[in-house]
Amino acid sequence: MRADVNRYVEVVLTTGVILSLVILAFGSILLMVKPVPVGVPGSVMDILRGVIRLNPSAIINLGLLVLLLTPVVRVIAAMLAFFAEKDRKFGLVSLTVLVILAVSALVGKL
């Protein structure tokens, strides 16, 4: 049972890091080829708009955002795996960690 959870977590972490690396590499290459527009996108919507326009700064920010969200997705994957295996104790621990992460993000935004 525990091996399944570890495998899910491993896949999530590996995928997140590789995806982030690919996005960051693409943004960096684009940055060398294309001049940088004035202003760096700050909000998620600005980043998405910039990615659509192939703004190198926005693509790099997207790569960083993916890297930052990887541990959060890992906690969600672990929580779902624990609850699927009927392991309420660790499922609730994962849910508590997820709530703490969410509260921290909200408090950090204030």
Side-chain angles (χ1 to χ4, degrees):
M1 278 172 111
R2 195 71 61 207
D4 291 340
V5 174
N6 289 335
R7 179 71 182 135
Y8 294 139
V9 169
E10 176 190 353
V11 168
V12 167
L13 290 176
T14 304
T15 303
V17 169
I18 291 172
L19 181 62
S20 174
L21 178 67
V22 168
I23 295 169
L24 286 167
F26 177 69
S28 298
I29 292 169
L30 200 58
L31 184 62
M32 289 186 263
V33 174
K34 192 175 180 179
V36 181
V38 178
V40 177
S43 71
V44 175
M45 289 308 296
D46 289 342
I47 291 171
L48 295 177
R49 282 189 210 104
V51 167
I52 291 169
R53 290 188 215 112
L54 292 179
N55 176 340
S57 298
I59 294 170
I60 290 171
N61 281 354
L62 178 64
L64 293 173
L65 185 63
V66 168
L67 188 62
L68 287 171
L69 289 177
T70 298
V72 176
V73 174
R74 175 238 184 266
V75 172
I76 293 169
M79 180 188 68
L80 294 174
F82 284 131
F83 282 133
E85 292 182 351
K86 309 282 190 260
D87 191 345
R88 286 183 38 137
K89 179 181 169 185
F90 285 107
L92 290 174
V93 168
S94 298
L95 179 60
T96 303
V97 170
L98 188 60
V99 168
I100 291 170
L101 288 171
V103 169
S104 298
L106 292 174
V107 168
K109 215 168 181 176
L110 297 178

